[in-house]
Amino acid sequence: MFNAHKTLIAAATLTLAGFCATPLAAESPAAAELVLLGVAGGPTWYGDASPHGISSAVLVNGRAYIVDLGSGAYRQLRRAGVKPGTEQAVFLTHLHTDHIIDLANLLMYDPSARRRAKASMQIYGPGRRGVLPPLAPGMKDDVVVHAENPSAGTRDLVESVVAGMSADLNIRVRSEGVPDIRQFFKAHDIAVPAGVVKDPNTDPAPPMEPFPVWQDERVKVSAILVPHGLVYPNFAYRFDTAAGSVVFSGDTAVSENLIKLARGADVLVHEAIDPAWVDHIVGAKPWDARQQALAHQLLEAHTTPQEVGEVATRAGVGTLVLSHLVPGDAPAEHWLQARRTFQGPVVLGQDLLRLPLRGQPKP
Ligand SMILES: [Zn+2]
Ligand SMILES: [Zn+2]
């Protein structure tokens, strides 16, 4: 049932009517473009036809701004025509492994090309959670992984990747004259505005205003907290460029904060979970308490296609793009339920799909 990738691709191509889905050509100097590098959600292998893990890029005037680094993201960046050293910044929505597993590739590869390009890539993402979530009802074993720092943030993550590769890095700088890769990137924990969150275990994404994370001559990036089960901090991002705006939901349940962030955006890239798949993995009904808890846990952390359409309608966005598809091999018609609740163009995400950002210049 969930192995219909060819159908999905065919339908995705059909949904592109009205868009310039360009091949992998280099962008024109004034272009601002969304590229989906990978559209599968979850740390799961969906079979040989699986899309790559979740990752997207906004390309503006020859620079790449990357959102999340799921499985295969590094290779997909190169296939999309992004050259080593042109990655301006990375924005991690949250630290679930399906969003960061390709970070090591991006940090370690192409050191000589990065030196020639005088690269300086900034990596932004959540800081430390600060407090562990409580044990679920009925659980007894209080297992803590890496008790010295059990809720590592983005800076911790980048430092530990470099530390874990020290044997290789120190050999290469000595024997081959390969540059010290640490000069090519810098990690930053995004500070959540003071006073917004009282307790991440009870309300990890309370109502708030979007806040600025990045600004340069090409793009302004702002963030807001969105709810994703027990994950905290967990961000959605908005990119405003002279050519148009695009919002990435990250992983989220239906979120008033996300609707606020996405208000009037040209493109909304939103995650989706297929409720038929939840039924499939939870098992035959009637559900016992454990099964009900599992279904609730999946559905409360994500958004169904029909709900995604409602979100897009309420936010008043121009075009809706579905990405972070869970599962990665569901039939296209399941995702396109979003068309029942959103009247604008709905694009079913696929790897290496490109969309120009159109729209009115933003102040
Ligand atoms: Zn995810
Ligand atoms: Zn997640």
Side-chain angles (χ1 to χ4, degrees):
M1 181 183 180
F2 292 98
N3 192 14
H5 191 70
K6 284 192 180 125
T7 320
L8 187 150
I9 296 274
T13 307
L14 285 177
T15 62
L16 279 169
F19 288 97
C20 293
T22 51
L24 306 183
E27 57 184 347
S28 65
E33 193 179 19
L34 164 68
V35 185
L36 304 183
L37 301 170
V39 302
T44 303
W45 173 247
Y46 297 111
D48 288 346
S50 176
H52 289 77
I54 184 69
S55 183
S56 314
V58 181
L59 309 182
V60 190
N61 294 354
R63 309 297 292 185
Y65 301 81
I66 301 161
V67 179
D68 289 333
L69 289 163
S71 178
Y74 168 81
R75 286 170 177 243
Q76 292 292 84
L77 264 180
R78 300 295 171 254
R79 289 181 179 129
V82 175
K83 296 195 166 40
T86 62
E87 304 96 344
Q88 186 69 56
V90 174
F91 300 88
L92 303 175
T93 57
H94 64 303
L95 301 181
H96 264 159
T97 48
D98 56 315
H99 295 248
I100 59 173
I101 201 73
D102 241 34
L103 174 67
N105 280 333
L106 187 60
L107 299 183
M108 298 295 149
Y109 276 26
D110 308 315
S112 297
R114 291 183 192 282
R115 176 163 60 187
R116 286 193 296 276
K118 298 184 169 56
S120 173
M121 180 174 72
Q122 307 302 309
I123 302 162
Y124 288 85
R128 297 177 180 180
R129 191 179 194 281
V131 56
L132 283 175
L135 283 178
M139 292 192 70
K140 293 192 179 61
D141 283 345
D142 193 0
V143 174
V144 178
V145 176
H146 195 52
E148 312 88 281
N149 182 11
S151 56
T154 299
R155 288 180 57 190
D156 298 322
L157 172 67
V158 170
E159 277 176 32
S160 64
V161 169
V162 173
M165 302 288 178
S166 62
D168 171 90
L169 296 172
N170 285 321
I171 290 170
R172 288 182 193 277
V173 294
R174 282 167 169 72
S175 65
E176 301 170 33
V178 167
D180 177 355
I181 59 157
R182 294 174 297 175
Q183 65 195 285
F184 303 131
F185 51 79
K186 188 167 193 318
H188 310 265
D189 290 347
I190 295 173
V192 174
V196 171
V197 175
K198 305 217 165 20
D199 180 359
N201 287 340
T202 54
D203 191 2
M208 66 183 295
E209 294 302 313
F211 63 98
V213 173
W214 169 278
Q215 181 154 14
D216 64 16
E217 65 273 27
R218 301 175 202 90
V219 62
K220 184 178 96 175
V221 181
S222 40
I224 204 163
L225 289 169
V226 289
H228 181 40
L230 291 166
V231 178
Y232 174 83
N234 180 59
F235 298 117
Y237 293 112
R238 176 175 179 132
F239 290 68
D240 286 292
T241 76
S245 51
V246 54
V247 171
F248 298 89
S249 72
D251 286 10
T252 185
V254 171
S255 165
E256 296 299 320
N257 278 353
L258 187 273
I259 291 168
K260 189 183 286 183
L261 182 74
R263 182 81 59 207
D266 295 294
V267 178
L268 170 62
V269 181
H270 204 294
E271 68 118 86
I273 191 168
D274 181 2
W277 177 78
V278 174
D279 285 353
H280 175 72
I281 63 160
V282 171
K285 289 178 179 172
W287 288 343
D288 60 23
R290 188 196 60 80
Q291 289 172 303
Q292 283 178 19
L294 175 60
H296 180 71
Q297 182 196 326
L298 288 165
L299 290 169
E300 79 165 1
H302 297 284
T303 310
T304 66
Q306 202 156 331
E307 290 171 334
V308 174
E310 290 164 4
V311 166
T313 297
R314 291 184 55 205
V317 301
T319 295
L320 171 60
V321 177
L322 297 176
S323 189
H324 192 282
L325 306 174
V326 177
D329 59 351
E333 57 266 29
H334 290 200
W335 304 121
L336 296 177
Q337 294 291 317
R339 287 186 172 156
R340 295 169 61 166
T341 45
F342 178 65
Q343 300 305 309
V346 177
V347 177
L348 179 52
Q350 64 181 83
D351 290 5
L352 297 179
L353 182 143
R354 305 175 87 105
L355 284 184
L357 295 188
R358 294 178 184 151
Q360 298 307 307
K362 299 290 186 292

